[in-house]
Amino acid sequence: MKTGSGKIGLWMLAWPIFIEIFLQTLLGTVDTIMVSRISDDAVAVVGISNQLFNALTALFTTFAGGAGILIAQRLGSGRGEDARSIAIMGVSVSAVLGVIVSLILFVYADPIGRMLQISVDLAPLAHVYLTYVGGGLFLVGMTAALGTAIRNTGNTRGPMYTGVAVNVLHIVLNYIFIFGMFGLPEMGLGGIAISNVISRLFGVAVLLYMFCGAFERRIKFRDFATFHKKLFSEILKISWPLGLNSSAWVISQLAMYMFMAMLGAQELAARTYLNTLESFCFTLGYAIAMAGQILTAHLFGAKQTEAVYRGAYRTMFIGQVIVGANVLILFLFGNMLLGFFTKDQEIIAIGVSLLALNLLLQPSKMLNMAMGNALNAIGDTRFTMTISMISMTVIGIGGSYLLGISAGWGLVGIYCSMITDELLRGVLVLIRWRRRKVLNAAAAEEAGIRPQSLEPQSGLSMS
């Protein structure tokens, strides 16, 4: 594992992840601002389309996510060759799944737009965005799969530097293509699509080069045909619950955005603007949760169960402090910040009405994210899958329709359902962690195999 000679702590892993995610969030903000110069209708199309893209990306990168957990565990236990093989299979499978999804979006853009309840007036814009940005979605999946593998080796800086370059390139190309610089025609939303594909292709090329040198033995092109049945079965064992978890999230997010689309274009635009601002509230908290998952998996592989147990609480506490401070800032200045995106006072009013609810939503997300990631890192993925499928279906979807549509509460009702769903799942994963079922089993197994003094050292710490 190429992490240097000293121990790598939580903050050393977290800050590059934060910079990478922050830049991605900033890119989304710049995209939203630029698209808002086209029209609020274009913003509504981008908002609901990106929700679909994010959901599908999470779905077909699930295999890579499971592989990432096993990569960290194998490196923690000193089995570098196994980690290398797992990484190769994780990237290869994600690439194949990504290409299939992209082809479906490219060919069936119009039916998908109708399924999302996009109005007839917005259909031409939706066709452009779903066809071309959706057609290049496999590049997003490749970026996620490669980045996951690289980060789980302990190298979080490489994906960060790549993210910086991709963001700069995308912003520059956006400006050129949208507004027709250097003699090019003004392409509007089509320019966003072209810029997306070019910048993502560049990012995949850089990450692929980095990935090939991420392990002790360099990965060559022919190695992507690698297949080890036993290791593949292990990836499937940890990944299929993650996949069903992602599926539940996909369905719930699409359903809620369809409900928002039923409320009207202004509500959908307001949610898109506010979602952009909300993303800044938990960016650093999310980075802390991701870094905590990497450390937890490494330490679990090294059989350091007490450090694993204590570290998850520290991750949660740090994340809650950061998220709480950020969401308070949004609550105080949200009205002014929404004015940067649109001058439509009705859209701003809708967004402002949701600011207080964020004081509950974002901390609930952080609790669920930190403790859920910790459970996934030690392989307890079936529990998070089960509670997610039940809660997202009954509370997320059912509650959103009942309160948002049937009861006429609109976006407020949908937000109330989102809060309840996140908080319930967060409390359940916290209770599961406190019971230490998997950790106690691992400690008992280790005690029967070797004395405590012979535990391997992972080179990572929770400090």
Side-chain angles (χ1 to χ4, degrees), residues 161-453:
Y161 293 134
T162 305
V164 172
V166 169
N167 276 270
V168 170
L169 177 62
H170 184 55
I171 291 171
V172 171
L173 291 178
N174 267 359
Y175 187 74
I176 292 173
F177 292 138
I178 293 174
F179 303 111
M181 304 302 294
F182 306 113
L184 293 173
E186 292 186 13
M187 301 181 188
L189 199 58
I192 290 277
I194 296 172
S195 173
N196 255 289
V197 173
I198 294 175
S199 57
R200 287 170 178 173
L201 186 61
F202 170 78
V204 167
V206 174
L207 286 174
L208 185 59
Y209 176 81
M210 201 177 300
F211 173 76
C212 290
F215 298 88
E216 291 298 329
R217 188 161 62 90
R218 187 171 182 83
I219 296 172
K220 298 180 180 179
F221 181 76
R222 63 175 179 270
D223 292 328
F224 284 97
T226 297
F227 182 81
H228 292 281
K229 185 177 180 180
K230 183 176 181 297
L231 293 178
F232 187 81
S233 297
E234 286 190 47
I235 301 174
L236 281 180
K237 183 178 179 181
I238 199 171
S239 294
W240 76 260
L242 292 176
L244 290 180
N245 194 341
S246 294
S247 297
W249 184 79
V250 166
I251 295 170
S252 67
Q253 292 301 302
L254 285 177
M256 283 187 280
Y257 262 77
M258 287 167 63
F259 299 155
M260 293 175 197
M262 291 167 63
L263 294 173
Q266 286 185 317
E267 284 79 3
L268 193 55
R271 168 57 184 163
T272 301
Y273 291 136
L274 191 58
N275 188 54
T276 300
L277 293 177
E278 287 172 8
S279 59
F280 286 100
C281 294
F282 61 85
T283 296
L284 187 48
Y286 181 62
I288 292 292
M290 288 183 66
Q293 177 175 300
I294 294 170
L295 283 174
T296 298
H298 273 277
L299 294 170
F300 185 72
K303 312 299 182 184
Q304 298 180 30
T305 54
E306 282 304 313
V308 168
Y309 182 72
R310 294 192 304 270
Y313 289 118
R314 182 170 183 267
T315 298
M316 180 183 66
F317 176 76
I318 293 172
Q320 289 290 9
V321 171
I322 293 167
V323 167
N326 287 337
V327 76
L328 183 60
I329 292 172
L330 176 58
F331 175 73
L332 295 174
F333 301 102
N335 193 348
M336 179 185 69
L337 294 172
L338 285 168
F340 286 113
F341 296 99
T342 181
K343 300 304 179 185
D344 189 316
Q345 292 304 310
E346 188 168 346
I347 291 177
I348 293 175
I350 294 171
V352 169
S353 69
L354 303 172
L355 291 175
L357 293 174
N358 261 302
L359 295 174
L360 296 174
L361 177 61
Q362 302 307 329
S364 299
K365 282 185 176 180
M366 187 65 232
L367 171 63
N368 184 27
M369 192 163 45
M371 304 314 297
N373 281 8
L375 285 174
N376 289 335
I378 63 174
D380 196 5
T381 55
R382 294 191 185 188
F383 179 80
T384 55
M385 170 203 72
T386 302
I387 62 171
S388 294
M389 291 183 68
I390 296 172
S391 180
M392 289 179 184
T393 302
V394 176
I395 299 175
I397 298 176
S400 292
Y401 184 81
L402 181 64
L403 297 179
I405 305 300
S406 294
W409 291 14
L411 286 180
V412 172
I414 294 175
Y415 261 66
C416 288
S417 299
M418 291 165 61
I419 292 168
T420 306
D421 169 48
E422 293 284 354
L423 185 58
L424 176 62
R425 287 187 286 128
V427 170
L428 290 175
V429 293
L430 178 60
I431 292 172
R432 178 75 167 187
W433 187 258
R434 288 178 63 84
R435 290 179 176 172
R436 302 178 57 144
K437 179 179 179 180
V438 175
L439 291 179
N440 286 339
E445 181 183 357
E446 179 65 11
I449 295 176
R450 67 177 77 183
Q452 186 72 16
S453 60

Side-chain angles (χ1 to χ4, degrees), residues 34-35 170 457:
M34 287 184 171
V35 174
H170 184 55
Q457 299 299 310

Side-chain angles (χ1 to χ4, degrees), residues 45-217:
V45 168
V46 171
I48 193 169
S49 299
N50 283 347
Q51 195 63 42
L52 172 66
F53 297 158
N54 292 339
L56 291 174
T57 300
L59 185 60
F60 65 70
T61 56
T62 296
F63 192 84
I69 292 171
L70 292 178
I71 290 167
Q73 289 182 1
R74 287 300 198 280
L75 291 175
S77 60
R79 290 178 283 177
E81 274 299 305
D82 279 359
R84 179 180 180 275
S85 297
I86 290 169
I88 292 170
M89 287 189 287
V91 169
S92 300
V93 172
S94 295
V96 172
L97 293 175
V99 169
I100 294 172
V101 171
S102 292
L103 286 173
I104 292 172
L105 287 168
F106 186 83
V107 175
Y108 298 105
D110 292 336
I112 291 172
R114 290 192 293 271
M115 180 196 72
L116 295 175
Q117 301 295 316
I118 294 175
S119 66
V120 176
D121 293 340
L122 301 182
L125 291 173
H127 174 82
V128 171
Y129 202 73
L130 287 170
T131 299
Y132 297 106
V133 177
L137 199 64
F138 73 96
L139 296 173
V140 181
M142 286 290 294
T143 299
L146 292 166
T148 296
I150 294 167
R151 277 190 294 269
N152 277 279
T153 68
N155 176 16
T156 55
R157 296 188 185 187
M160 176 199 71
Y161 293 134
T162 305
V164 172
V166 169
N167 276 270
V168 170
L169 177 62
H170 184 55
I171 291 171
V172 171
L173 291 178
N174 267 359
Y175 187 74
I176 292 173
F177 292 138
I178 293 174
F179 303 111
M181 304 302 294
F182 306 113
L184 293 173
E186 292 186 13
M187 301 181 188
L189 199 58
I192 290 277
I194 296 172
S195 173
N196 255 289
V197 173
I198 294 175
S199 57
R200 287 170 178 173
L201 186 61
F202 170 78
V204 167
V206 174
L207 286 174
L208 185 59
Y209 176 81
M210 201 177 300
F211 173 76
C212 290
F215 298 88
E216 291 298 329
R217 188 161 62 90

